Amino acid sequence: MYSMTMFSVLYLLSTLLSEVIGGGVFPLRMPQVSPTRNEVYLCTGVDIGQDNRFWITGFNPKMIPGTVHHMAVAGCSERPPATDHNVWNCGANGNPVLEPQYPSFVTCADGDQFTSTLFLWSRNGVPYMLPPNIGFPVGGDTKYQYLVLQVHYINIE
């Protein structure tokens, strides 16, 4: 049951973040992780880049109920930590339960002055779409060149 639950949670996270380029969907997903402890906060990052500007117009979280407490998407101006699997412990202000196979860092890079939470989903939350013609700009000439997904795993059993 444990392996199947975690696989399903991670597989279904693939449609978390939407962007407009002809109405497309950009998957922001946690790489295949298997937390071994409850209450772990894990982060993964993606480089949006300066070549194109994108507009985030909605968020559609997917997970197995009861395994994830919350998910957050942060916009970062500095490159997030580089790790072997693009995953790191990023928990609760120095009081986290650490997953031993991953290093520990802050959500975005140390000293990133432009870190902002763009979306926060909590248990029993619903997908969120912004009103028509409204969006968060990322990439291109914006201050957000990177996105970081933080997932708080509350129950791994």
Side-chain angles (χ1 to χ4, degrees):
M1 181 68 172
Y2 164 79
S3 294
M4 182 59 165
T5 300
M6 296 316 296
F7 175 77
S8 297
V9 168
L10 300 171
Y11 173 74
L12 294 175
L13 285 175
S14 66
T15 58
L16 175 62
L17 178 67
S18 298
E19 69 181 7
V20 172
I21 301 185
V25 172
F26 179 83
L28 181 58
R29 68 180 89 191
M30 184 63 66
Q32 293 182 352
V33 298
S34 296
T36 60
R37 301 163 190 223
N38 291 328
E39 301 295 338
V40 169
Y41 289 71
L42 295 177
C43 282
T44 188
V46 63
D47 181 352
I48 301 299
Q50 297 181 343
D51 294 338
N52 295 298
R53 176 186 278 199
F54 301 99
W55 296 88
I56 300 172
T57 60
F59 302 89
N60 188 14
K62 302 290 182 183
M63 82 297 307
I64 300 296
T67 58
V68 173
H69 181 264
H70 75 266
M71 291 186 279
V73 177
C76 310
S77 62
E78 307 272 333
R79 181 178 298 280
T83 66
D84 289 341
H85 302 287
N86 194 27
V87 176
W88 62 95
N89 287 290
C90 57
N93 299 323
N95 190 25
V97 174
L98 298 177
E99 191 56 53
Q101 69 262 34
Y102 303 117
S104 296
F105 297 103
V106 295
T107 302
C108 290
D110 275 333
D112 189 338
Q113 297 177 354
F114 297 109
T115 298
S116 293
T117 300
L118 302 177
F119 176 72
L120 181 61
W121 173 92
S122 188
R123 288 191 301 180
N124 300 323
V126 296
Y128 182 75
M129 295 301 294
L130 294 167
N133 301 315
I134 303 293
F136 298 105
V138 296
D141 61 353
T142 73
K143 62 184 174 182
Y144 304 122
Q145 297 299 306
Y146 306 91
L147 296 177
V148 172
L149 171 65
Q150 180 192 74
V151 179
H152 174 195
Y153 294 96
I154 193 169
N155 183 8
I156 61 161
E157 298 173 8

